[in-house]
Amino acid sequence: MRMRFDILTLFPSMFSSPLGESILGRAVEKGLIQIQTINIRDFSLEKHQVVDDAPYGGGQGMVMKVEPIARAIESVKSQNQSSRTIYLTPQGKPFNQDLARRLSTQTHLILLCGRYEGVDERVRDLFVDEEISIGDYVLTGGELAAMVLIDAVSRFIPGVLGSDRSAEEDSFFNSLLEYPQYTRPFNFRGRCVPEVLLSGNHSAISLWRRKEALRRTWVRRPDLLEKANLSGEDKTLLEEIENSSDDGEVSSADGGVCPRAKSQAPNNK
Ligand code: 4FV
């Protein structure tokens, strides 16, 4: 087993189906990753298993109490010292592909899912190693954020994406957006697949894909271009893109509307 996720939550059942399907479900079956949910309420010693209380100093909403969380984390850490405790919160560092790759080098992650206005500050002081945010918006709970993290991190575990694939090929790998993808039919409602993709000329195909990845990144996420390690050829392609009148997404020269003559796939591919 390569990676264990222990999830501290008040709603363990939220995790059954999202993490039971498809790639992640198979990764659990193959024993590549292990996912355990721990109900924080089971660690409340108070009557009615209370886990939240009113904020000192007044104000709206409730705060998650420190004791049940402390007992829950200590029960998990007692089984495995080399764990890293992550609190999912809007106040955390932005989650991205680089952070996912770094976390995938760990063997045991404890994910703390907040609810209400969040956790008592002493949870952070005493137990949290890292705070991570999946985005600048407020969720009703940290559970969905924990699922996003588990999905993105697990993709780096060898064997999770299947033998031939590795997360290293993904977009954002070198922080460019993905190139456009096509599959059959060749002509859909008058929109044809760019010819180059049916040419069998692999260097022309990878050049086209590189150029379209650069174009899409230039149009949609120019901020990513700054930190992308661009080759000399990339810079030439980018000049062509910037100087080409056509700021369409896919260069109309190649894709888009089928030239009348070519409505059928060449040699019925
Ligand atoms: C969140 C985020 C998030 C805040 C209040 C849970 C909620 C509630 N977590 N990235 N954005 N958490 O909105 O990670 O306790």
Side-chain angles (χ1 to χ4, degrees):
M1 183 271 303
R2 175 61 180 72
M3 167 76 85
R4 179 186 170 101
F5 297 97
D6 276 306
I7 307 161
L8 274 61
T9 172
L10 291 173
F11 302 97
S13 60
M14 282 181 69
F15 292 85
S16 43
S17 58
L19 302 178
E21 298 298 327
S22 178
I23 289 173
L24 291 181
R26 284 194 294 279
V28 170
E29 276 154 25
K30 287 191 274 186
L32 294 169
I33 61 173
Q34 205 174 1
I35 300 173
Q36 175 80 30
T37 56
I38 291 106
N39 191 334
I40 295 167
R41 199 176 293 282
D42 297 345
F43 293 84
S44 168
L45 301 180
E46 299 197 29
K47 57 186 184 327
H48 317 306
Q49 291 191 304
V50 166
V51 293
D52 63 324
D53 200 345
Y56 274 120
Q60 59 157 14
M62 299 293 271
V63 175
M64 292 178 77
K65 293 171 65 63
V66 61
E67 305 100 321
I69 296 173
R71 288 191 202 91
I73 290 178
E74 284 165 346
S75 77
V76 172
K77 285 175 93 68
S78 60
Q79 293 148 35
N80 180 328
Q81 292 317 315
S82 72
S83 59
R84 195 161 177 70
T85 302
I86 294 175
Y87 176 40
L88 289 305
T89 169
Q91 294 126 38
K93 65 171 71 94
F95 187 53
N96 60 28
Q97 192 75 342
D98 292 345
L99 190 42
R101 181 186 299 104
R102 179 166 63 70
L103 291 173
S104 71
T105 61
Q106 298 285 325
T107 57
H108 183 203
L109 293 179
I110 299 173
L111 305 179
L112 174 58
C113 304
R115 279 274 158 172
Y116 320 115
E117 301 311 308
V119 302
D120 184 294
E121 191 63 15
R122 291 161 290 186
V123 171
R124 290 173 145 125
D125 305 342
L126 298 169
F127 299 103
V128 171
D129 300 307
E130 197 160 0
E131 298 191 17
I132 292 177
S133 169
I134 64 165
D136 297 340
Y137 38 79
V138 181
L139 304 169
T140 58
E143 285 76 11
L144 295 175
M147 293 179 209
V148 166
L149 184 148
I150 291 169
D151 189 299
V153 170
S154 299
R155 298 176 79 259
F156 283 97
I157 307 293
V160 167
L161 285 185
S163 53
D164 62 340
R165 285 282 326 276
S166 82
E168 294 303 354
E169 290 155 36
D170 289 338
S171 73
F172 289 113
F173 166 49
N174 47 19
S175 69
L176 287 186
L177 300 184
E178 279 284 339
Y179 48 77
Q181 296 275 14
Y182 294 86
T183 187
R184 281 184 283 259
F186 171 76
N187 173 345
F188 178 72
R189 299 183 185 169
R191 293 209 162 245
C192 282
V193 174
E195 291 277 349
V196 63
L197 298 178
L198 289 87
S199 66
N201 173 340
H202 296 298
S203 59
I205 290 170
S206 56
L207 179 64
W208 181 88
R209 285 175 166 173
R210 187 75 181 166
K211 187 170 184 181
E212 294 310 318
L214 287 163
R215 183 196 310 279
R216 181 155 286 180
T217 309
W218 179 67
V219 168
R220 299 183 184 191
R221 294 291 307 278
D223 58 301
L224 291 174
L225 282 178
E226 262 109 59
K227 55 183 184 187
N229 48 3
L230 300 180
S231 65
E233 183 190 54
D234 290 336
K235 293 187 177 106
T236 316
L237 290 171
L238 259 180
E239 269 147 39
E240 288 169 16
I241 291 164
E242 286 158 4
N243 306 338
S244 72
S245 59
D246 129 22
D247 61 358
E249 266 290 312
V250 174
S251 65
S252 51
D254 308 335
V257 179
C258 302
R260 191 135 315 294
K262 286 189 287 185
S263 62
Q264 288 318 307
N267 52 33
N268 286 334
K269 281 197 183 142

